[in-house]
């Protein structure tokens, strides 16, 4: 059993316009000490997947079906059905979360030291003094400058990069088995972003923490992830080890995402490539393959090679060991894409 596994998760919002399935049958798994990147455009369901993991989806949203399994000494526990009191022990204990904007997660009226210590006290039987010592140790671990001084400062006294380090310190203070990091560097400038990603990689190696990294940035994924799952319109459309996905993307959406990455060498000389159209709103997901209105390879009618793209919906199938694709024509489209060979893989 992997450390963490999501099986057929469906999370939907029940609005006045009807049922909106933001996450529709997602399955993922992560082994101990590994990093899985969950990528896709805004609105594809990545963040709702992250919020579902710790049952943080607010009404009118709710998890309808599926299981979210966390391996434990007595066997896997299902976070979907876990009683609230047990789930509170998992949140911040065995699973830590890092959000894009730390100001929404840090309490402005408490010092950062008190907030980290409070997280420790919630999950460990220790004295206030020991929790404060742990907070200081964590601020050192995340390489915050002047950690003794920062301990007694409030979030507004820190820069965005410092606040993100504090969030990471808080998420890792109880040595979680898994960290869910939702766009942890998006709001930061490039230099700080690189430092934070380095830091997460370093902590993963030292503490053996598994990481679910949610991002729209394929460059970040190439640098940090062991495996990648690409999400589109509430579903996983491709999943593979990162080196395989970048060398041999098979789903037209993945190929489009790779081609749309900005090329710093061609800046100002070549137009940016884009994927035509937009991610459909969940209440208007197309029938059949949800990518077909944007796909340059879509077949309007059945061919000797496969069905029409509007029906039936393609399944997520394993086309080579560890490489899953949701496309009727994946294996026929699988020539390495020119964009793929340029990717530097860490
Ligand atoms: Fe494109 Fe058809 Fe494959 Fe969907 S099933 S990605 S429309 S080729």
């Amino acid at each position: 059993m992997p450390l963490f596994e999501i099986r057929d998760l469906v999370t939907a919002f029940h609005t006045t316009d009807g049922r909106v399935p933001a996450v529709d049958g997602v399955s993922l798994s992560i082994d101990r000490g590994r990093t899985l990147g969950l990528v896709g455009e805004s609105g594809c369901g990545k963040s709702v997947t992250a919020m579902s993991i710790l049952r943080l989806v607010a009404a009118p949203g709710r998890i309808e079906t599926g299981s979210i399994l966390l391996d434990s000494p007595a066997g896997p526990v299902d976070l979907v059905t876990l009683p609230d009191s047990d789930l509170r022990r998992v949140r911040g204990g065995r699973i830590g979360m890092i959000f894009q904007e730390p100001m929404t997660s840090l309490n402005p009226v408490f010092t950062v030291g008190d907030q980290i210590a409070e997280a420790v006290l919630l999950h460990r039987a220790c004295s206030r003094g020991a929790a404060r010592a742990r907070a200081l140790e964590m601020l050192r671990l995340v390489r915050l400058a002047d950690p003794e001084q920062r301990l007694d400062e409030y979030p507004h006294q820190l820069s965005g990069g410092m606040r993100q380090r504090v969030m990471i310190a808080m998420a890792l203070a109880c040595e979680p088995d898994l960290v869910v990091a939702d766009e942890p560097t998006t709001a930061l400038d490039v230099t700080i972003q690189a430092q934070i990603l380095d830091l997460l990689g370093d902590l993963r190696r030292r503490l053996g923490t598994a990481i679910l990294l949610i991002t729209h940035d394929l460059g970040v994924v190439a640098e940090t992830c062991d495996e990648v799952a690409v999400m589109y319109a509430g579903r996983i459309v491709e999943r593979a080890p990162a080196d395989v996905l970048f060398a041999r993307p098979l789903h037209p959406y993945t190929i489009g995402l790779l081609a749309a990455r900005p090329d710093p060498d061609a800046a100002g000389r070549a137009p940016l490539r884009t994927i035509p159209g937009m991610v459909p709103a969940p209440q208007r997901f197309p029938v059949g393959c949800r990518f077909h209105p944007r796909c340059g390879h879509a077949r309007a009618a059945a061919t000797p090679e496969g069905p029409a793209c509007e029906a039936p919906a393609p399944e997520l199938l394993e086309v080579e060991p560890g490489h899953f694709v949701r496309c009727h024509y994946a294996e026929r489209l699988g020539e390495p894409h020119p964009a793929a060979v340029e990717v530097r893989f860490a």
Side-chain angles (χ1 to χ4, degrees), residues 250-253 288-299 307-310 312 314 326-330 333:
L250 291 180
H251 195 283
Y253 179 61
C289 172
R290 291 180 177 174
F291 189 57
H292 83 258
R294 304 175 72 186
C295 181
H297 301 279
R299 269 71 159 177
C309 292
E310 290 186 32
R326 190 188 293 277
C327 169
H328 294 310
Y329 295 93
L333 305 175

Side-chain angles (χ1 to χ4, degrees), residues 230-284:
V230 180
M231 202 165 173
Y232 184 79
R235 290 180 171 159
I236 303 294
V237 295
E238 185 159 9
R239 200 176 92 207
D243 52 350
V244 172
L245 187 112
F246 284 108
R248 193 172 130 78
L250 291 180
H251 195 283
Y253 179 61
T254 313
I255 293 168
L257 281 182
L258 284 171
R261 287 174 310 120
D263 177 358
D265 296 333
R269 287 183 281 112
L272 281 175
R273 282 188 278 183
T274 59
I275 303 173
M278 294 177 69
V279 179
Q283 54 272 52
R284 285 187 289 280

